[in-house]
Amino acid sequence: MSDNIADLYQSLIMERTKAPHHAGRLSAFDGDAEGDNPMCGDRTHLWIRRAGGKLAAIAHETRGCAITTAASDLMGDAVLGKTEAEIYALADAFESLISTGTAPATPDLADLRALGGVHEYRSRHRCATLPWQALRAALKDQSHG
Amino acid sequence: MSDVLHAPTLDIEKIRADFPILGQLVHNKKLVFLDSAASAQKPRVVIDAMVNAMETQYANVHRGLHWMSERTSDAYEGARDKVAALLNARDRSEIIFTRNATESLNLVAHSFGRTHIKPGQAVLISQMEHHANIVPWHMLRDAHGITLRIARITDAGEIDMDDVEAKLADGNVALLSITHMSNVLGTYTPAARLAALAHRYGAKILLDGSQAVVHRAVDVQALDADFYVFSGHKLYGPSGIGVLWARREILDSMPPFMGGGDMIDRVSYERSTWAKPPFRFEAGTPAILEAIGLGAAIDYVSAIGFDAIAAHERDLTEHGIAVLSAIEGLHILGAAQDRGGVISFTLDGVHAHDVATLLDKQGIAVRAGHHCAEPLMGRLGVDSTARASFALYTTRGEIDALAAGLRRVKQVFG
Ligand SMILES: Cc1ncc(COP(=O)(O)O)c(C=O)c1O
């Protein structure tokens, strides 16, 4: 482990924590879900809209640590324009990156790899995976038909 | 001035040498352990007492007719005497060994709660309770039909005594169950005044001493308490051992919490009669080694003396408040007049978990989260806080290291 105390907090994480690109709500949406971590009070609310079999819009309201906020936001980048099957594959790969420290070469995790350092902090794994759990729930949400 | 001259002092270097773990490195940095309110580190004498018992005189207690069992029973019962002396209990039979403060509270809720609190009567707690002093009452409410009242705290984090009185006033509160020191705000509650108030309105009082017992001398008779609970592991003893003290006449009137060996008088296939306190409440083989370890911990703190411990921790707390409040954007929660060595804080723009992770990388252990007091977080209007807590082995230098560490956290998030 490097001696730099901040190696977990890559610049991309800090940027997205301070100025998230996908923060807010969708006025028109077909799925939403909340994820919360009662251990620490981190909370994220996601809204999604599909069009033509793909994810056309996503927004989140996240109240939590830098890792959760950045994870929600970078997830937004990663899943926009993807099919559900592609999103589930990304979710599996990302969760594997966090829990095992490695992820398969495909699908391409791209910027999500900035969160790879979280693997070394077992007590923080939930912070990174919480938004993906919420996204899985939002994709299954039938209540907005 | 003579106060200053005669103020008891600790030989802090000698004390630190008593705690083997304090020499450990974390992330290649010297451990700065500021999480003793969650669980304290153990001095060599505690470790040795437990190892020594296992190596030289161990058997089950109260059961064997042989030498080993008698010696072990003596050591286990000796620990009970030490707890009785620590709390100034009137009688050793008033000390019940449990697993922890949580179990002690559940014992009271289950046994006293179902027999001495009638459906419709109330239990009064405060807004700054640990979950251990909330959830058992929710369970009792749902199973037995009691009601739960919550006394307010002030913005400074002190008990609102007027509200306590208002909530006792109709005489329908059977038990005031309240913390003796908040694990979040560090506030000491005015236990003797609360006891007098509870008794005036016909209620009993339970004090959750999990934090308080570590930092100051406690005298349950002087406080005029009815129940007192704490955990051994925060008092430099091992985990797995806790204490319930209650007045003997109350214990005499309470049914067992659990049934089994050791808690009976006679058993036939049809029925059993119960042993007297304390054994009535200690079903099954108890935490023998842990009780012995707790006894050694009590000997250890008693030899140092609570005057010296309290003076040292008062100095640390004042120093902590001074150096932490000098950090721009840092907010300390609570401003109680009477407080112990616990400081919870938030840092503008940095979540408590990020604070804790970045401090950990510098070898500094603090706690972050809701500290098992979620309702209090709501009352304070925060989601989570970071918390530094002090023990008799904590130094001013460690608090300075915390302040320096927090400045680096701010740079990372700058
Ligand atoms: C005030 C207070 N009450 C109760 C408890 C519960 O202690 P334990 O988990 O040892 O039962 C704690 C410990 O966190 C505490 O600080």
Side-chain angles (χ1 to χ4, degrees):
Chain A
M1 197 179 288
S2 106
D3 204 44
N4 174 10
I5 66 156
D7 57 1
L8 175 62
Y9 297 90
Q10 306 272 317
S11 52
L12 190 56
I13 295 179
M14 298 308 291
E15 272 167 45
R16 292 306 182 93
T17 280
K18 287 180 189 152
H21 294 182
H22 303 282
R25 304 169 170 234
L26 297 181
S27 46
F29 57 95
D30 52 30
D32 81 312
E34 265 187 288
D36 92 279
N37 182 355
M39 289 295 292
C40 61
D42 280 355
R43 191 163 298 209
T44 187
H45 195 154
L46 287 183
W47 291 265
I48 57 171
R49 189 171 65 242
R50 301 171 182 83
K54 299 204 165 136
L55 196 80
I58 183 165
H60 66 92
E61 272 183 355
T62 303
R63 233 175 44 189
C65 62
I67 302 300
T68 297
T69 308
S72 296
D73 212 60
L74 291 171
M75 179 180 79
D77 289 4
V79 298
L80 266 179
K82 299 276 193 325
T83 66
E84 279 196 31
E86 288 167 337
I87 291 171
Y88 283 123
L90 273 173
D92 290 344
F94 180 73
E95 284 161 4
S96 155
L97 176 70
I98 299 300
S99 64
T100 69
T102 54
T106 52
D108 184 7
L109 286 175
D111 284 351
L112 291 171
R113 288 196 181 269
L115 288 156
V118 175
H119 168 65
E120 283 189 41
Y121 299 79
R122 192 148 30 99
S123 56
R124 305 295 302 272
H125 287 188
R126 277 289 303 272
C127 307
T129 55
L130 182 71
W132 291 88
Q133 279 176 20
L135 181 57
R136 287 177 190 272
L139 289 171
K140 294 198 177 77
D141 177 22
Q142 304 282 333
S143 57
H144 306 282
Chain B
M1 38 149 242
S2 62
D3 274 348
V4 174
L5 285 177
H6 294 112
T9 51
L10 298 181
D11 182 347
I12 188 76
E13 283 316 313
K14 184 167 166 300
I15 283 173
R16 288 182 69 81
D18 292 337
F19 289 80
I21 207 168
L22 296 179
Q24 292 291 307
L25 300 182
V26 172
H27 304 309
N28 278 324
K29 303 201 173 74
K30 224 179 101 192
L31 169 65
V32 174
F33 188 75
L34 298 175
D35 194 19
S36 295
S39 201
Q41 302 299 349
K42 321 304 175 199
R44 170 62 67 195
V45 287
V46 168
I47 300 164
D48 285 351
M50 296 175 75
V51 171
N52 190 44
M54 282 186 278
E55 288 181 346
T56 64
Q57 43 156 293
Y58 181 76
N60 210 331
V61 290
H62 308 142
R63 293 181 184 183
L65 295 175
H66 48 78
W67 189 90
M68 278 293 176
S69 177
E70 286 170 1
R71 294 295 89 71
T72 312
S73 300
D74 287 350
Y76 177 74
E77 292 304 322
R80 196 186 310 277
D81 290 326
K82 289 170 188 184
V83 176
L86 177 79
L87 299 180
N88 192 31
R90 197 175 298 116
D91 190 84
R92 64 190 310 283
S93 67
E94 297 180 330
I95 305 299
I96 318 273
F97 284 126
T98 61
R99 273 191 308 137
N100 46 40
T102 301
E103 185 174 304
S104 301
L105 280 155
N106 278 275
L107 192 166
V108 174
H110 197 92
S111 168
F112 179 84
R114 287 167 192 245
T115 54
H116 291 66
I117 309 180
K118 296 191 199 74
Q121 281 193 306
V123 170
L124 175 60
I125 64 173
S126 84
Q127 280 181 325
M128 56 178 177
E129 300 306 320
H130 188 280
H131 294 167
N133 192 26
I134 302 175
V135 183
W137 308 119
H138 286 163
M139 292 166 67
L140 184 65
R141 178 193 63 199
D142 297 343
H144 184 64
I146 64 145
T147 61
L148 189 59
R149 297 181 186 177
I150 321 281
R152 283 198 294 266
I153 58 168
T154 65
D155 289 338
E158 293 173 327
I159 296 288
D160 179 339
M161 295 298 280
D162 292 339
D163 197 49
V164 171
E165 180 151 20
K167 285 179 170 135
L168 287 166
D170 66 2
N172 204 28
V173 174
L175 180 69
L176 170 60
S177 188
I178 195 161
T179 190
H180 193 188
M181 175 185 154
S182 163
N183 62 311
V184 175
L185 301 172
T187 312
Y188 263 88
T189 57
R193 280 173 57 211
L194 286 164
L197 207 50
H199 292 151
R200 188 181 317 150
Y201 291 100
K204 299 261 186 288
I205 181 165
L206 181 153
L207 292 165
D208 174 359
S210 303
Q211 297 294 336
V213 77
V214 181
H215 307 291
R216 291 184 193 172
V218 170
D219 181 335
V220 291
Q221 295 189 64
L223 294 174
D224 200 20
D226 297 302
F227 300 92
Y228 202 92
V229 305
F230 71 92
S231 286
H233 66 92
K234 296 184 202 272
L235 186 60
Y236 313 104
S239 54
I241 185 83
V243 169
L244 164 65
W245 167 85
R247 288 177 191 280
R248 176 63 195 257
E249 60 272 23
I250 301 176
L251 289 174
D252 277 331
S253 72
M254 284 165 52
F257 175 39
M258 291 188 283
D262 282 343
M263 52 70 70
I264 37 76
D265 184 18
R266 303 293 299 266
V267 180
S268 67
Y269 284 117
E270 290 73 35
R271 66 184 60 85
S272 39
T273 54
W274 308 324
K276 290 184 169 32
F279 305 111
R280 182 185 299 167
F281 302 100
E282 293 182 4
T285 299
I288 301 167
L289 295 163
E290 291 77 4
I292 291 170
L294 174 60
I298 291 172
D299 284 345
Y300 181 77
V301 291
S302 305
I304 294 168
F306 275 103
D307 287 350
I309 293 172
H312 176 64
E313 292 179 357
R314 196 174 316 118
D315 175 65
L316 292 175
T317 308
E318 279 170 16
H319 185 63
I321 289 171
V323 298
L324 294 184
S325 42
I327 296 173
E328 205 184 319
L330 188 146
H331 309 280
I332 294 175
L333 285 93
Q337 289 291 317
D338 190 11
R339 64 187 294 166
V342 165
I343 302 179
S344 288
F345 57 90
T346 59
L347 195 56
D348 286 346
V350 194
H351 190 277
H353 275 195
D354 297 316
V355 171
T357 293
L358 285 165
L359 288 174
D360 178 57
K361 286 287 263 182
Q362 304 174 69
I364 303 168
V366 299
R367 184 157 174 197
H370 55 52
H371 315 291
C372 296
E374 254 188 284
L376 175 59
M377 295 291 115
R379 163 66 181 85
L380 298 170
V382 294
D383 292 324
S384 63
T385 78
R387 178 187 76 183
S389 55
F390 313 139
L392 55 81
Y393 45 69
T394 307
T395 65
R396 275 179 166 238
E398 289 181 306
I399 294 170
D400 295 337
L402 170 66
L406 286 166
R407 292 203 156 86
R408 290 193 68 187
V409 172
K410 281 188 60 178
Q411 279 166 10
V412 172
F413 273 74

